[in-house]
Amino acid sequence: MRLEILPVLGIGHVTEGDDLAALIAGAAPWLRDGDVLVVTSKIVSKAEGRLVDVPADGPERLAARDEVLASETARVVASRGPTRIVQTHHGFVMASAGIDASNVDKTRLVLLPVDPDASARALRAALRARYDLDLAVIITDTMGRPWRNGLTDVALGVAGMPAIRDHRGEVDPYGNELQLTQMAVVDELAGAGELIKGKCDQVPVAVVRGYLSATSPDDSAGAQALVRDAAQDLFSLGTAEARAAGLADAATLTDAPGPTPADPAAARRAIDAVAGVVAPGTVFTLVDEADVRAGLIAKVPGWPDGATALVLGSPPAPVDPMDLVRFGADLHRLQVALAAEGVGSTVLPPPAGSPASATLAL
């Protein structure tokens, strides 16, 4: 394979309502079937009117930018100081939701296209209908990557070719069947185009020639195929955010007994898991279902529906205020350990005359 990467010069300043197909075809009359058009998302956003007015500087500008960022954010992935890594409503994970203040008037911000795949399809269709050009179109933006310094362009939208080249089932020269290899070829082509476009050269469009022998008539999922499903995402949060979410999930899990009878073996594993980290003298005792059914239920205030077992806890004796603080932390550790075993738990009111003890209903 021999590739050429060609700049499209002379497009000039793009404003809302501009006809991108006409601008590109006029600047590149040498385009031919099978070319891959790599288009910076910023000119797509400008043509589509995806701009917002903000103050030129000062705290008012920061406040306005924060408001725009909130509207473009589906969820916060990580936050450190002023930096926000977020997931956009498209599903992309990027710094500041892709909001850009470069190559635009200081009183405006550029947002990502609402639907980059639809924008790519529309541009491709216009070039085909009006200029008889059968091209693939990739709409790109710049992103950072986890664990690596530096930025690169990636695909936000694509039409006329699949986003991923799937090698699974192929056999390598050593006779090994490929089982996992799926190449994000549109991201690779986006990065190749960026080598020509640059950041300050006012070249928002590049052409990659020689990669495609024919375009695809089926746009399928477009660049959305690159968005990893949340259930398969092992790194969906930053470190601090993952820890906070884990604690929140544990609190949710332990808010009420589970829908099925507690497994005494699982409860015992949880007690054993915290045995080495609780304050010396703290004791947790598991009371299994047989003992509960033998009549202990009637003696426990606040017994919830569905609970079938108990854990009785007591702090070191004699009890002082700091012992109670440590005991509260020990009790929380146990609830988290129970949640990790899939056992829901609820802290019940203390028995009369025993304010320093704790009872967990499982």
Side-chain angles (χ1 to χ4, degrees), residues 3 5 36 38-40 138-143 145 151-156 184-199 206-208:
L3 299 181
I5 310 173
V36 180
V38 184
V39 183
T40 301
I138 301 174
I139 294 177
T140 71
D141 197 34
T142 303
M143 289 189 192
R145 288 83 42 79
L151 306 173
T152 186
D153 266 25
V154 300
L156 302 186
V185 291
V186 289
D187 282 347
E188 294 176 315
L189 293 170
E194 173 57 20
L195 296 173
I196 291 294
K197 291 187 294 178
K199 291 301 177 191
V207 173
V208 178

Side-chain angles (χ1 to χ4, degrees), residues 20 38 46 57 72 80 88 92-93 98 101 130 151 154 166 180 209-210 239 242 244 254 273 283 292 297 308 332:
L20 286 185
V38 184
K46 287 181 176 180
D57 50 34
E72 294 295 301
R80 302 292 183 275
T88 70
F92 309 134
V93 175
R130 289 151 49 191
L151 306 173
V154 300
D166 194 345
L180 300 175
R209 177 169 291 170
T239 303
T254 59
V283 176
V292 171
I297 292 178
T308 58
H332 179 72

Side-chain angles (χ1 to χ4, degrees), residues 37-258:
L37 201 64
V38 184
V39 183
T40 301
S41 64
K42 185 170 296 179
I43 65 167
V44 177
S45 294
K46 287 181 176 180
E48 293 179 351
R50 288 283 287 164
L51 300 105
V52 293
D53 295 319
V54 295
D57 50 34
E60 295 83 3
R61 177 183 175 86
L62 295 177
R65 184 185 178 97
D66 286 344
E67 184 176 344
V68 174
L69 174 57
S71 70
E72 294 295 301
T73 297
R75 70 180 179 92
V76 176
V77 174
S79 177
R80 302 292 183 275
T83 302
R84 299 288 186 274
I85 307 298
V86 305
Q87 186 172 42
T88 70
H89 298 293
H90 318 82
F92 309 134
V93 175
M94 350 177 36
S96 299
I99 298 169
D100 202 340
S102 64
N103 291 302
V104 69
D105 188 273
K106 288 186 177 182
T107 61
R108 311 197 86 180
L109 297 174
V110 185
L111 313 183
L112 295 181
V114 172
D115 186 343
D117 281 323
S119 299
R121 290 192 291 268
L123 179 56
R124 180 180 185 237
L127 289 167
R128 170 178 279 183
R130 289 151 49 191
Y131 301 98
D132 197 27
L133 287 169
D134 188 10
L135 310 174
V137 175
I138 301 174
I139 294 177
T140 71
D141 197 34
T142 303
M143 289 189 192
R145 288 83 42 79
W147 307 297
R148 295 183 70 83
N149 291 320
L151 306 173
T152 186
D153 266 25
V154 300
L156 302 186
V158 61
M161 64 177 294
I164 293 174
R165 182 178 177 185
D166 194 345
H167 292 276
R168 291 175 299 178
E170 297 178 14
V171 178
D172 71 15
Y174 293 90
N176 302 303
E177 181 179 342
L178 302 179
Q179 298 181 357
L180 300 175
T181 306
Q182 295 175 285
M183 301 301 297
V185 291
V186 289
D187 282 347
E188 294 176 315
L189 293 170
E194 173 57 20
L195 296 173
I196 291 294
K197 291 187 294 178
K199 291 301 177 191
C200 302
D201 301 329
Q202 293 188 315
V203 181
V205 180
V207 173
V208 178
R209 177 169 291 170
Y211 179 77
L212 290 180
S213 57
T215 60
S216 170
D218 180 14
D219 294 323
S220 61
Q224 277 297 306
L226 300 169
V227 177
R228 190 181 297 276
D229 183 80
Q232 298 177 336
D233 190 351
L234 302 183
F235 307 99
S236 61
L237 290 172
T239 303
E241 290 73 17
R243 183 176 184 276
L247 292 173
D249 286 346
T252 301
L253 282 170
T254 59
D255 187 53

